[in-house]
Amino acid sequence: MKALASFFLALAPTAVLACGAPVCLVDPDSLILPQIITFDDIRSGAGPGHNVDDILPLPGATFGERFAGQEVQARGTHDEIIGDPFAPLTMLPGAAGQNLSVVHFYGNAVLNGYGTAGFPKREGQGEGAIAVLFDTPQSALAFDLRGGEEGTALVSFHRSDGSLIGQVPVQPTGEFTVGFLRSTGADDIAGFIITNSDPQGIAIDTLRFGKPPDLS
């Protein structure tokens, strides 16, 4: 563990040391993350996209709205997730029409959270929470933000027992990749939730995670 922590800290020392938080927002290019999830092989559609009312299991991670023990409430047209997850961390979908959709967006398929306005209403698209539960806890990850219009996103990181590691705001939102790194190098990020207050909502694409191979 100490060797892995030193490896990650060597990749982005200034950002991590200056962060002063349990999880740091770092340059994604500083991270070596061999596992990649895209949504290009999943049924998708234009406009509101293809509605997904259940949890979405993919190799390495499962996607939904929140974790068991939490509740969702409306903050305007956006989702707000409240409460502490139960142990062990367990994925839950949103209500019918208020979970996820997979949308064609500039040649790619991206994942939307659908807010309380419900599918297929435009005011709900991209305004719902997106939860991610890893098969194996992680120390670093990155994903592409899509469709942001200079609003705010909040990423909340949880351990396997449901406890909160920390929250990282991303502001302003836009079209770029964000990277996150545990400041101690601990591989205890079992899952995370993205909420936002962006005026047009956001989507995500190309989740990167995993540990570099042990070449010793």
Side-chain angles (χ1 to χ4, degrees), residues 59-153:
T62 299
F63 299 79
E65 180 193 62
R66 67 194 191 281
F67 301 120
Q70 296 181 308
E71 297 181 356
V72 61
Q73 65 181 23
R75 187 179 68 249
T77 56
H78 293 77
D79 280 357
E80 183 174 8
I81 303 299
I82 59 174
D84 298 322
F86 297 147
L89 202 63
T90 303
M91 181 62 71
L92 290 180
Q98 299 176 27
N99 189 45
L100 305 171
S101 72
V102 185
V103 182
H104 279 306
F105 188 79
Y106 288 100
N108 293 343
V110 301
L111 188 69
N112 280 303
Y114 242 91
T116 54
F119 185 91
K121 294 180 180 178
R122 177 62 189 90
E123 59 267 32
Q125 184 175 345
E127 303 194 359
I130 299 174
V132 181
L133 178 63
F134 292 112
D135 292 357
T136 304
Q138 305 294 316
S139 55
L141 61 106
F143 56 81
D144 297 347
L145 275 178
R146 304 300 300 271
E149 298 289 341
E150 298 191 348
T152 301

Side-chain angles (χ1 to χ4, degrees), residues 94-209:
Q98 299 176 27
N99 189 45
L100 305 171
S101 72
V102 185
V103 182
H104 279 306
F105 188 79
Y106 288 100
N108 293 343
V110 301
L111 188 69
N112 280 303
Y114 242 91
T116 54
F119 185 91
K121 294 180 180 178
R122 177 62 189 90
E123 59 267 32
Q125 184 175 345
E127 303 194 359
I130 299 174
V132 181
L133 178 63
F134 292 112
D135 292 357
T136 304
Q138 305 294 316
S139 55
L141 61 106
F143 56 81
D144 297 347
L145 275 178
R146 304 300 300 271
E149 298 289 341
E150 298 191 348
T152 301
L154 183 68
V155 188
S156 302
F157 298 89
H158 293 271
R159 299 181 181 88
S160 296
D161 65 1
S163 60
L164 180 68
I165 299 171
Q167 296 179 310
V168 180
V170 180
Q171 183 178 16
T173 53
E175 293 271 337
F176 50 81
T177 304
V178 287
F180 302 92
L181 175 64
R182 278 289 271 130
S183 56
T184 62
D187 53 351
D188 60 354
I189 299 175
F192 64 95
I193 299 177
I194 310 163
T195 55
N196 77 91
S197 57
D198 189 274
Q200 298 298 319
I202 61 171
I204 66 167
D205 191 14
T206 316
L207 175 64
R208 304 168 182 86
F209 58 101

